[in-house]
Structures are given as structure tokens and as C-alpha cells.
Amino acid sequence: MRPTLASVLLLAAAAAYAQAGEHVVSQKGKAFSTQKMAVKVGDSVKFVNDDPFAHNVFSLSDTKSFDLGSYGQGLAKSVVMDKPGLVDVECAVHPDMKMVIEVRK
Ligand SMILES: [Cu+2]
């Protein structure tokens, strides 16, 4: 039996979904767990707060602009990196917290 177009598209979508990676960056001691990381387009980055106080992770970059809002210990939020380029990540509460994510094609 020949596969239908719909089933081929579904399989392709499932394969693409399976390939998307998830990266974790924690915030601890008023610092990001890494200063620099590389991810692929379609990957997500999960920002976990491991400090006993709130952080507010955001980026104003053209590549990916986002604001995760303020959230406390043990909580996490994810961002999907959908375009190639550099993403400067900061914390609105702690100006010294900075990291760069390179999103590769
Ligand atoms: Cu912070």
C-alpha cells in the first residue's frame, strides 16, 4: 500500500518535532548557569529559577524578543528559538545577569 500524502506529512512533522532539542539554563546565585550557549533553530531553552528569590528573564534582541515575567524558586519557563542569530538574555531584577544564546540554522 502506498502511503498517502497526509501520512507522509504527519511523519515529517513528527520527525521535525522529535529533533527539536530542549536546553536548560538555571539561575542560581544571581547568575545564569552558562554565559554562552549554542542551540539550533526550533530548539527551546528552559529557564529554571534555582534561587530563593524572583528573577525576570528577558531579551530585547531582534533574533528573539521575549519577557518571561517575574517568577520564583523552582519555577521554569521556556522559549522557542525560531530564528537564527544572537539572543542577548538579561534579568530585569539583576542587571549583572547576562548571557548570550547563539541560534544556529
Ligand atoms: Cu535575576
Side-chain angles (χ1 to χ4, degrees), residues 54-56 91 93-94 97:
H55 292 287
N56 185 347
C91 172
V93 187
H94 309 102
M97 290 178 65

